[in-house]
Amino acid sequence: MTASTTYETLDYQVADRVALVTLNRPECGNALDERMHAELRDVWTRTNADDGVWSILLMGAGADFCVGEDYEEIAGYLSRDEQPPRWAAAEDWSGQYRSGQSAHGFPEPKDGLPAKPLISAVHGRCSGSAMLFVAHSDFTLAAEDAEFSLPNVEYGLGAAQELISLARMNVARTPLSRLALLGEVMLAPRARELGLVLDTVQSAQLRERALEMVRTLTEESAPLAVRGSKAGIWNTIDLPFDVANRWSHEYLNQVRFRSEDSREGP
């Protein structure tokens, strides 16, 4: 059974407990504009609330996965001495809180957006802020000809958030510096060596291989246990051991004694 929801910049379908999300602005490399950010944010919230979704697959339409921000749109805002609404931050550099909250559409797994497993399937270019999809997905598969880059400095923009998130994947400083400071392009085999992507496959096989992975998550695992395991990875990564251990015990007790998953068993 397949269900779909209409978005302007995304294709969204649910089939066999998998949410298939496709970035759908192929005419501009699936560049992220305000509309796409808002619609992605809605997708993460929607999948959390839908008990018929157990896992999520993110793809890109056309020749590229995503080339990052829509710089033409950003230039329009800046020409009017404005900032894109998605740049609104909860706190400025002086520590003073602002009234607006960030409205970007990147996954925020520590905030439970989405709370369910997210797999990204990357082909073509994955550039700039699109690297956050790689850093914040649970797994990323890449076509053998996929290219990863951080060309932000060419546009007068730093790559702070992308670098912070990629560094938390334990990627060494030198490869990140080559991406961010030299503007080098990283090919898919090198991304696999560094652990940025789980595996590389031939372009023609990317979609089916990614679907196989999400089907494994939906057919062979209890959804609450998978969701809790994901939360454990993301929510405890920065915690001291004793605090992380307490968190895990509290969650495990919920799964053991309160869920149908545990009572039903394998």
Side-chain angles (χ1 to χ4, degrees), residues 133-254:
F133 291 121
V134 175
H136 292 179
S137 292
D138 297 293
F139 303 106
T140 297
L141 295 178
E144 292 177 342
D145 59 355
E147 298 180 351
F148 301 86
S149 63
L150 288 172
N152 303 44
V153 292
E154 297 177 14
Y155 300 96
L157 300 171
Q161 187 176 5
E162 296 92 332
L163 292 173
I164 291 169
S165 296
L166 291 169
R168 288 173 181 265
M169 298 178 71
N170 292 322
V171 179
R173 178 177 58 81
T174 298
L176 292 182
S177 295
R178 293 179 67 171
L179 282 172
L181 304 182
L182 299 178
E184 292 185 357
V185 173
M186 181 183 293
L187 302 181
R190 179 58 171 157
R192 182 187 61 214
E193 292 174 1
L194 293 172
L196 281 175
V197 303
L198 176 66
D199 202 0
T200 58
V201 298
Q202 294 182 2
S203 297
Q205 299 174 349
L206 179 62
R207 179 184 174 90
E208 186 54 40
R209 179 68 182 88
L211 284 171
E212 288 177 5
M213 180 170 287
V214 293
R215 287 174 186 143
T216 298
L217 289 168
T218 57
E219 295 175 1
E220 300 182 14
S221 304
L224 185 59
V226 170
R227 189 168 176 169
S229 297
K230 170 171 178 165
I233 292 170
W234 290 101
N235 290 3
T236 64
I237 192 170
D238 298 321
L239 297 179
F241 175 81
D242 57 335
V243 178
N245 202 35
R246 285 199 302 272
W247 185 96
S248 67
H249 281 296
E250 289 173 4
Y251 189 89
L252 283 173
N253 285 337
Q254 293 181 40

Side-chain angles (χ1 to χ4, degrees), residues 7-10 23 31-46 69 73 85-86 102-106 113 133:
Y7 288 106
E8 185 176 317
T9 67
L10 306 173
L23 309 176
L32 294 148
D33 63 357
E34 283 293 328
R35 170 67 67 178
M36 185 179 283
H37 275 284
E39 291 182 350
L40 282 167
R41 189 83 175 181
D42 184 76
V43 162
W44 310 140
T45 303
R46 178 184 297 273
E69 299 302 305
E73 181 189 62
R86 63 183 178 273
S102 178
H104 66 71
F106 300 113
L113 293 171
F133 291 121

